[in-house]
Amino acid sequence: MITLRSPHEIDLMRRAGKITAAARALAGEMVRPGVTTHEIDSAVERFIRKQGAVPSFLHYQGYPASACISVNDEVIHGIPGKRVLKEGDIVSVDVGAYIGGFHGDCAATFPCGKISPEAQDLIDVTRQSFFEGIRWAKEGQRLQDISSAIQTYVESHGYSVVREYVGHGVGAKMHEPPEIPNFGRPGRGPRLLRGMTLAIEPMVNAGSAAIQQLSDGWTVKTLDGRWAAHYENTILITDGEPEILTAPAI
Ligand code: MF3
Ligand code: CO
């Protein structure tokens, strides 16, 4: 069952979303050569707690940090630690914040210093694929209209979408129905209704779609070693344009 949020619940989701988006922005500003992924994670946790919220990811199914920080060929779920970022890296940061009974969830890939044009293109296409997808995030459309638009855009740029991990409903729990694949066929899947809150999150590989999970139990890397990018926002389905609940402040 896909939960529909009341106006009051939507207000609470807006508050969670704002904090989550600000935490992502803070992390993005910290991405530069010489910084460790642990330093970014600590700052994210401090910021979220200072807002009166709780990091959604910390201890989720045993996850040991507040942010997922995935570098270069790491797709998602990278565990922050001693790794020192270096010029040319691309750094995916995924954050969640829980306040007032609701979660926000968002992610983006940031350049570390000067990066290659190829890496920048991967970041740009991944971000744009989200916006191509949410053109279909309207009452009356079907879920896979979003999925299909993301897939078509990504593949038209020669990249591939990850299959094993998908977007999801988000609200009182971080992961709620429905699953939102980044591949699919127009006209399939549940019909979208106003009040649905969804995390749309294309995970895009420069090379093949195949991934591997590391022995740390979390980190997901590309199998071919080519780089990957991630972009995610929590959105609200309305009777008109979708509202991005984790929109950047500026
Ligand atoms: N943001 C991720 C998602 O959308 C969740 C991270 S998994 C966690 O599914 F364990 F780190 F929380
Ligand atoms: Co998510």
Side-chain angles (χ1 to χ4, degrees):
M1 215 226 2
I2 306 175
T3 306
L4 304 181
R5 257 87 219 183
S6 70
H8 176 61
E9 291 171 326
I10 289 166
D11 265 341
L12 294 170
M13 294 256 334
R14 286 193 182 103
R15 178 160 59 130
K18 274 207 173 88
I19 294 168
T20 313
R24 173 180 57 185
L26 167 79
E29 284 161 19
M30 288 183 70
V31 170
R32 57 189 148 71
V35 173
T36 68
T37 54
H38 169 73
E39 287 169 323
I40 297 173
D41 180 63
S42 307
V44 163
E45 176 170 8
R46 240 177 295 121
F47 175 81
I48 289 172
R49 292 198 191 279
K50 203 175 73 193
Q51 304 302 312
V54 173
S56 303
F57 300 177
L58 188 61
H59 309 316
Y60 178 84
Q61 294 180 0
Y63 187 72
S66 298
C68 299
I69 305 184
S70 312
V71 183
N72 298 344
D73 63 332
E74 296 171 354
V75 186
I76 49 166
H77 298 174
I79 302 175
K82 291 183 170 58
R83 182 174 186 154
V84 180
L85 298 179
K86 58 182 202 313
E87 183 97 19
D89 285 345
I90 62 170
V91 183
S92 299
V93 181
D94 192 344
V95 297
Y98 180 73
I99 186 169
F102 292 91
H103 293 274
D105 185 6
C106 67
T109 303
F110 299 99
C112 183
K114 190 170 161 41
I115 65 171
S116 72
E118 292 78 14
Q120 187 63 53
D121 187 67
L122 177 63
I123 290 174
D124 293 345
V125 167
T126 302
R127 181 178 182 281
Q128 186 58 31
S129 74
F130 166 87
F131 289 99
E132 296 296 324
I134 67 163
R135 289 170 57 189
W136 304 94
K138 286 200 170 104
E139 187 159 66
Q141 299 292 328
R142 287 190 184 266
L143 189 76
Q144 289 189 33
D145 297 346
I146 301 173
S147 310
S148 163
I150 291 171
Q151 178 182 18
T152 301
Y153 186 78
V154 166
E155 292 179 353
S156 77
H157 287 263
Y159 302 141
S160 50
V161 294
V162 170
R163 311 290 171 132
E164 291 86 348
Y165 296 87
V166 295
H168 49 94
V170 55
K173 290 192 290 179
M174 185 165 65
H175 293 134
E176 298 183 354
E179 291 196 347
I180 309 174
N182 296 302
F183 56 93
R185 291 180 57 178
R188 306 270 178 116
R191 214 174 268 289
L192 301 175
L193 298 172
R194 72 184 80 179
M196 289 180 178
T197 47
L198 308 173
I200 313 283
E201 51 176 318
M203 290 151 267
V204 176
N205 293 355
S208 105
I211 48 122
Q212 55 180 327
Q213 194 178 44
L214 299 197
S215 56
D216 64 14
W218 285 101
T219 312
V220 175
K221 280 192 178 195
T222 63
L223 195 60
D224 62 12
R226 296 188 64 191
W227 289 8
H230 186 198
Y231 189 76
E232 175 181 29
N233 282 306
T234 299
I235 69 163
L236 168 71
I237 303 296
T238 75
D239 55 353
E241 294 301 312
E243 181 177 332
I244 301 180
L245 300 175
T246 51
I250 43 136

